[in-house]
Amino acid sequence: MTTYLNTSNGQSVGSDKTFASINPATGETLGNVPISSRQQVADAIAAARAAQPAWAARPDAERKALMMKVAEIIKANDAYLADWVTREQGKPLGGVGPDQVPGARFEVWGCEVWTQVPASLDMPMEVAFEDETRRDEVHRKPYGVIAAIAPWNWPLLIAIWQIIPSIRAGNTVVIKPSEYTSIGTLEMVRLISEALPKGVVNTVSGPGEVGSWLVSDPGINKVMFTGSARTGAKVAEAAAKNVVPVTLELGGNDAAIMLPDADPKAMAMGLFWGAFINMGQTCAAAKRLYVPESLFEPTVQALKELAQAMPMGNGLEEGMVMGPIQNKMQYDKVVDLVESAKAQGGNVVCGGTPRGGAGYFYPLTLVTGLKDGDRLVDEEQFGPVLPIIRYRDVEEAIASANRLDVGLGASVWSTDVEKAKQVASRIQAGTVWINQHGMIHPMVPFGGVKGSGYGVEFGLDGLKAVTQPQVISIKK
């Protein structure tokens, strides 16, 4: 069985201990992954620290050109990387581009795009103040070494979100992939490192203990974390001991609100993918849908027809649209929440029963008859289940959307955009989409409020987030 190695200081690094990576669709072992030792974590950080001054000193045009070379490497290896995403994460291969089924090929295409965009951006010096007596300039400087911890739901794409802006701005990176989806990320870093000086991007791998060593090391200057709120709190606590800033994207429980003038039939496809992209295993997926009584039945029917028509199976088979839940822990959570919904009076419109057999497959499930306070409404399911909740007036729906201590995304659906904007402005979320959900863009800042974390990624704001300002004040 092949062991897939880490990249540290431009070298391939193994370990005395390994763990297996498992295909969630079949249960087969895909390969072994090193469990980095504490010394190996320290070595990776030391390599990043040694490489950082020279990397930051390179002309900006050179770093931008190398970013474009990284994008070319991703494109040249897109089939290989997409194959790893499907086998290790579970999402079907799907199509490429924004109008295709969002599977593994879509994820790798996104890696290419989210590399090209930061490479195209500039961070010029800004004049904060100037008069006849003084001139105050704001320059952007890299932090130094960025520690990044990537999740299992979009293992390559979110790693790119963390790596590329960081190195574009002159930082170096040590990244730990999720122990559930390590191989694809390790292989991607191995490939893109061919275009970069040694030590600019380094990997470590293993369980949570390895991540703890990484984020608590005094050689780290900033931490980027995407994952659960519970782990995010631990990351922030560890970083705070070294007075290190953190960007936290901690997921949410996004509300989607249909206004009384919405068109269920026309909007059903957008609502469906807003909820079920990546089998619902997306931080900014719609996880609770609020529908006025007048539109309730046609909305449920339209979503049921779509859910029952989507092919589900091993994502390596062409034509599959839905794959498995990625791991047993998450599978068990989804099963538990659906059973709890049944016990609390929920009506399962479709799905709701484990498929059985190999793999962590769970059918697309719609549940009605629930209310705020029920577990499936209040807890983030992070799986292929959507509770659909009736409401009587819009004020009630807004209050429901805002009642939880999360605020990553939300959406409002209406044929009247101005009315939708008024509702959107009152929802407590980092992004509120209108007539779409989860449609992120590499030029548009993205981040959460409340328990969904703090800090932003993407665009110029995301690039600034991996730099710190230095003011040069000049007396005339």
Side-chain angles (χ1 to χ4, degrees):
M1 184 65 65
T2 301
T3 297
Y4 294 84
L5 304 178
N6 279 293
T7 298
S8 182
N9 201 30
Q11 303 297 314
S12 296
V13 178
S15 179
D16 293 338
K17 298 179 180 179
T18 63
F19 64 94
S21 182
I22 305 299
N23 185 327
T26 65
E28 69 174 314
T29 298
L30 299 169
N32 292 321
V33 180
I35 299 177
S36 298
S37 68
R38 189 160 198 163
Q39 184 60 53
Q40 287 174 328
V41 173
D43 289 345
I45 295 169
R49 292 198 71 80
Q52 196 274 327
W55 177 246
R58 279 184 177 244
D60 197 51
E62 286 188 18
R63 284 203 305 272
K64 292 172 72 173
L66 288 173
M67 296 300 94
M68 295 306 293
K69 189 172 289 187
V70 166
E72 291 171 5
I73 290 172
I74 292 171
K75 184 174 184 178
N77 292 276
D78 56 2
Y80 176 72
L81 293 173
D83 182 77
W84 269 116
V85 171
T86 294
R87 289 199 289 157
E88 196 172 38
Q89 196 279 332
K91 61 171 65 72
L93 289 169
V96 178
D99 299 323
Q100 299 298 314
V101 174
R105 292 176 180 135
F106 176 91
E107 177 166 353
V108 177
W109 172 81
C111 291
E112 180 188 349
V113 172
W114 258 270
T115 299
Q116 293 169 331
V117 169
S120 72
L121 297 177
D122 293 309
M123 288 187 296
M125 175 273 295
E126 300 173 10
V127 177
F129 179 79
E130 186 171 20
D131 64 9
E132 65 277 4
T133 67
R134 64 185 289 163
R135 174 183 169 90
D136 297 270
E137 301 174 352
V138 181
H139 299 257
R140 307 301 306 191
K141 301 291 184 179
Y143 275 103
V145 178
I146 306 290
I149 298 182
W152 50 259
N153 57 332
W154 295 89
L156 270 60
L157 185 57
I158 294 179
I160 285 292
W161 294 350
Q162 297 170 334
I163 292 169
I164 296 301
S166 297
I167 64 174
R168 164 69 186 85
N171 303 284
T172 53
V173 174
V174 181
I175 184 167
K176 179 192 136 9
S178 167
E179 55 268 42
Y180 291 114
T181 52
S182 297
I183 296 176
T185 308
L186 296 185
E187 285 294 276
M188 180 178 70
V189 171
R190 178 183 65 81
L191 290 166
I192 68 175
S193 292
E194 296 174 4
L196 302 169
K198 66 179 185 179
V200 171
V201 181
N202 311 271
T203 63
V204 294
S205 55
E209 183 181 40
V210 175
S212 177
W213 295 336
L214 175 62
V215 301
S216 61
D217 192 287
I220 295 299
N221 302 111
K222 175 161 183 169
V223 177
M224 301 184 74
F225 173 81
T226 298
S228 71
R230 178 180 298 178
T231 304
K234 294 178 181 178
V235 168
E237 182 181 6
K241 292 179 180 178
N242 295 322
V243 197
V244 169
V246 181
T247 295
L248 296 176
E249 199 269 84
L250 305 181
N253 193 347
D254 288 15
I257 300 175
M258 293 185 72
L259 299 187
D261 64 357
D263 184 339
K265 186 174 182 180
M267 296 174 177
M269 187 65 78
L271 283 165
F272 175 85
W273 283 115
F276 291 111
I277 184 173
N278 197 27
M279 285 287 283
Q281 299 170 119
T282 296
C283 298
K287 298 186 173 78
R288 47 197 173 117
L289 173 60
Y290 293 91
V291 181
E293 291 182 345
S294 60
L295 301 179
F296 195 82
E297 295 304 330
T299 298
V300 172
Q301 183 60 31
L303 290 174
K304 177 183 177 181
E305 290 174 3
L306 287 171
Q308 292 181 326
M310 295 294 169
M312 177 183 291
N314 188 331
L316 291 177
E317 300 173 9
E318 289 292 343
M320 290 298 111
V321 176
M322 294 293 168
I325 295 173
Q326 200 284 322
N327 57 78
K328 188 176 188 303
M329 175 189 69
Q330 195 61 38
Y331 177 88
D332 289 344
K333 180 178 180 180
V334 169
V335 171
D336 179 56
L337 284 173
V338 174
E339 293 307 308
S340 173
K342 294 175 183 176
Q344 292 178 313
N347 172 48
V348 176
V349 176
C350 61
T353 303
R355 281 182 28 163
Y360 301 124
F361 290 99
Y362 195 89
L364 302 185
T365 300
L366 302 174
V367 182
T368 62
L370 298 178
K371 61 186 183 304
D372 290 349
D374 291 336
R375 286 185 62 207
L376 184 58
V377 177
D378 283 18
E379 298 180 27
E380 183 184 22
Q381 66 275 43
F382 215 70
V385 181
L386 180 66
I388 307 174
I389 304 108
R390 296 176 187 264
Y391 75 83
R392 289 168 294 181
D393 61 72
V394 175
E395 292 299 318
E396 175 188 336
I398 295 171
S400 290
N402 290 337
R403 60 181 286 272
L404 301 177
D405 186 33
V406 286
L408 186 59
S411 60
V412 181
W413 301 75
S414 172
T415 54
D416 185 334
V417 171
E418 288 305 313
K419 186 184 298 182
K421 285 173 64 177
Q422 293 174 12
V423 173
S425 68
R426 298 175 59 194
I427 296 178
Q428 298 163 5
T431 300
V432 184
W433 292 277
I434 292 175
N435 295 334
Q436 56 183 358
H437 195 111
M439 299 300 289
I440 56 175
H441 189 281
M443 281 297 294
V444 180
F446 176 73
V449 300
K450 300 196 291 187
S452 291
Y454 48 80
V456 297
E457 300 172 283
F458 310 163
L460 188 57
D461 289 283
L463 205 52
K464 287 183 176 181
V466 289
T467 66
Q468 48 195 336
Q470 181 190 48
V471 174
I472 296 179
S473 186
I474 306 162
K475 180 181 179 180
K476 291 186 176 179

